C-alpha cells in the first residue's frame, strides 16, 4: 500500500485517538464482515493472519495472530522504532485486534451478509480504505506491515509505501498454497480468482487511504494582486499563520507598480485566506492552483535518498 511515510514523532491528542478508534472500527467491519467470510486474503497483518487462520483449518483466530505477531515484532525492534512509535502501535494493534476478535467468530460461522463475492469485496475494500485513511491521517498505526516498513525505512532508507506494497502483494500471492481439496487445475482456477480479488482489494483500499491521508495535506498556491497588498499580507501572516512572499511587478498598460503576493498553504487554510482577502479587497485578483512536492518549514521534510557506495573498479 503506497502511503506517505508515517509521522513517527507525532503524538495524537484526544480528538486524534477518537478518530483513530473510529477508523479502526470501520476497517474491522470492512474486513471481518465483507472480506473474511468469502475466504479472500488481503494485504497487511490482517492478510497474513488470514493465511494462518485458513492454514490451521480455522483453529487460530485472525485477531490472535495479529496481536501476537505485532507484539513480537515490537519487542524485537523496540530500540530501532523508538518508544513513541511502539506505544502508538501497541494502542492501535490492541484496539484493532479486540474489534476484529469480538465479531470474527460470528461472521465466519454464518453465511456472508452479501452473497455476491465481487460486491462484498468491493464494499469491504472501500470500508478498509476509509478506515486506514482515517487512522493514518490522525497519526495512528495498527502495526503489521507498518512495523516492517518502518524498520526498512529507518535502517535502509527504503520508502515505506513501496515496502508495504511489496509485502501486501506477496501475502496475497501466498494464498495459492493454502490447503485445497481438488487437483492442480481446480486449485489454479479457484486460487487465481481469489488472488485477483485480493490484489483488487489492495488497489481499492490503497487508493482510498491515500486520498484521505493526502486530502488535508494537499498544498495550495495563491497568487494575489491588490492595491491593499500590505494589509492582506499582514492579516494572512497573523491570522492564518502562513508566510507571504512579495514580488514586485508593473502593469504593462497602466504602468502602475504592484506587489504580487505568493502564499503556499494546506487546503484546510484556503477558506481562511479567501475570507481575509474578500474582507479587505473584494476586487483583488486571486489565482489558486495546486502545488505538488512542497518541502520546507511548515510542509513536508526534504529527505535525501541514501547514496549507494560504489566500489572503484580494479585495474
Amino acid at each position: 500500500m503506497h502511503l506517505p511515510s508515517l509521522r513517527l514523532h507525532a503524538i495524537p491528542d484526544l480528538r486524534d485517538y477518537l478518530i483513530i478508534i473510529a477508523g479502526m472500527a470501520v476497517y474491522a467491519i470492512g474486513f471481518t464482515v465483507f472480506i473474511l467470510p468469502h475466504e479472500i486474503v488481503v494485504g497487511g497483518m490482517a492478510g497474513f493472519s488470514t493465511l494462518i487462520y485458513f492454514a490451521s483449518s480455522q483453529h487460530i483466530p485472525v485477531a490472535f495472530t495479529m496481536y501476537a505477531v505485532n507484539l513480537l515484532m515490537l519487542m524485537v525492534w523496540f530500540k530501532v522504532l523508538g518508544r513513541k512509535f511502539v506505544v502508538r502501535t501497541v494502542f492501535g494493534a490492541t484496539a484493532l485486534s479486540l474489534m476484529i476478535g469480538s465479531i470474527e467468530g460470528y461472521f465466519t460461522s454464518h453465511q456472508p451478509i452479501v452473497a455476491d463475492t465481487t460486491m462484498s469485496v468491493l464494499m469491504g475494500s472501500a470500508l478498509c480504505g476509509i478506515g486506514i485513511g482515517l487512522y493514518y491521517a490522525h497519526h495512528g498505526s495498527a502495526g503489521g506491515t507498518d512495523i516492517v516498513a518502518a524498520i526498512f525505512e529507518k535502517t535502509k532508507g527504503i520508502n515505506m509505501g513501496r515496502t508495504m506494497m511489496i509485502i501486501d502483494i506477496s501475502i496475497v500471492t501466498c494464498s495459492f498454497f493454502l490447503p485445497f481439496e481438488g487437483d492442480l487445475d481446480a486449485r489454479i482456477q479457484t486460487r487465481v480468482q481469489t488472488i485477483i480479488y485480493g490484489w483488487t482489494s489492495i488497489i481499492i483500499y490503497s487508493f482510498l487511504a491515500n486520498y484521505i491521508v493526502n486530502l488535508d495535506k494537499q498544498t495550495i498556491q495563491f497568487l494575489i494582486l491588490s492595491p491593499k497588498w500590505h494589509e492582506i499580507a499582514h492579516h494572512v501572516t497573523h491570522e492564518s499563520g502562513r508566510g507571504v512572499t512579495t514580488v514586485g511587478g508593473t502593469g504593462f498598460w497602466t504602468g502602475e507598480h504592484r506587489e504580487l503576493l505568493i502564499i503556499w498553504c494546506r487546503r484546510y487554510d484556503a477558506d481562511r485566506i479567501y475570507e481575509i482577502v474578500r474582507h479587505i479587497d473584494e476586487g483583488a485578483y486571486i489565482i489558486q492552483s495546486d502545488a505538488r512536492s512542497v518541502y520546507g518549514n511548515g510542509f513536508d521534510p526534504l529527505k535525501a535518498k541514501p547514496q549507494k557506495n560504489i566500489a572503484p573498479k580494479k585495474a
Side-chain angles (χ1 to χ4, degrees):
M1 179 173 55
H2 182 66
L3 288 170
S5 297
L6 289 176
R7 288 163 283 183
L8 300 181
H9 301 291
I11 303 176
D13 56 21
L14 178 60
R15 178 176 174 273
D16 284 329
Y17 276 115
L18 293 176
I19 297 178
I20 288 169
I21 292 173
M24 289 181 174
V26 173
Y27 177 89
I29 292 171
F31 168 73
T32 313
V33 177
F34 295 98
I35 295 177
L36 186 59
H38 288 280
E39 300 186 11
I40 304 298
V41 176
V42 294
M45 183 55 68
F48 175 78
S49 302
T50 303
L51 288 175
I52 302 299
Y53 176 68
F54 289 117
S56 65
S57 301
Q58 303 183 13
H59 287 102
I60 303 177
V62 172
F64 174 82
T65 303
M66 289 179 65
Y67 198 57
V69 175
N70 273 326
L71 290 183
L72 180 61
M73 288 194 297
L74 289 172
M75 286 189 293
V76 172
W77 295 100
F78 179 86
K79 291 184 178 179
V80 174
L81 297 171
R83 180 178 174 274
K84 291 180 181 178
F85 179 78
V86 170
V87 170
R88 192 155 45 87
T89 304
V90 168
F91 169 79
T94 302
L96 186 58
S97 297
L98 287 174
M99 291 175 188
I100 292 177
S102 63
I103 60 176
E104 71 168 296
Y106 176 84
F107 288 102
T108 53
S109 60
H110 291 74
Q111 290 297 318
I113 290 179
V114 179
D116 183 76
T117 303
T118 301
M119 294 303 298
S120 191
V121 170
L122 289 176
M123 183 63 186
S125 301
L127 290 175
C128 287
I130 293 170
I132 293 171
L134 285 174
Y135 69 72
Y136 260 91
H138 292 269
H139 321 295
S141 172
T145 51
D146 295 0
I147 299 174
V148 179
I151 292 169
F152 274 95
E153 184 180 57
K154 280 179 166 285
T155 59
K156 305 294 183 180
I158 301 175
N159 178 267
M160 286 187 70
R162 187 181 308 166
T163 304
M164 293 169 72
M165 180 63 76
I166 293 172
I167 294 173
D168 287 352
I169 291 175
S170 301
I171 289 172
V172 173
T173 306
C174 287
S175 65
F176 180 85
F177 303 102
L178 287 173
F180 182 82
E181 295 181 3
D183 58 17
L184 180 59
D185 289 339
R187 174 188 286 270
I188 291 174
Q189 284 188 338
T190 302
R191 293 302 184 205
V192 168
Q193 186 177 32
T194 58
I195 288 173
I196 292 173
Y197 274 125
W199 287 346
T200 303
S201 179
I202 292 174
I203 294 171
I204 293 171
Y205 69 63
S206 297
F207 173 81
L208 286 174
N210 269 311
Y211 178 80
I212 293 173
V213 169
N214 292 320
L215 189 61
D216 282 344
K217 292 184 65 179
Q218 174 64 52
T219 304
I220 303 296
Q221 176 178 266
F222 281 102
L223 300 179
I224 303 173
L225 192 62
S226 168
K228 300 180 180 180
W229 63 269
H230 190 275
E231 187 178 355
I232 292 174
H234 175 82
H235 282 275
V236 168
T237 302
H238 290 83
E239 295 180 22
S240 73
R242 289 297 177 180
V244 180
T245 300
T246 61
V247 178
T250 304
F252 175 76
W253 182 256
T254 63
E256 293 181 2
H257 177 79
R258 294 282 178 85
E259 292 291 332
L260 178 68
L261 306 183
I262 302 176
I263 303 169
W264 293 301
C265 67
R266 296 299 191 190
R267 185 175 294 278
Y268 50 75
D269 294 319
D271 289 341
R272 182 57 183 150
I273 291 175
Y274 271 117
E275 182 182 343
I276 291 171
V277 176
R278 185 165 52 247
H279 178 72
I280 297 173
D281 182 7
E282 290 186 351
Y285 292 100
I286 303 177
I287 299 175
Q288 175 188 324
S289 59
D290 292 337
R292 297 185 59 188
S293 303
V294 178
Y295 301 100
N297 186 29
F299 296 94
D300 296 325
L302 181 61
K303 295 183 179 180
K305 294 184 178 179
Q307 300 293 324
K308 295 182 179 180
N309 294 324
I310 302 177
K313 295 182 179 179
K314 294 181 179 180

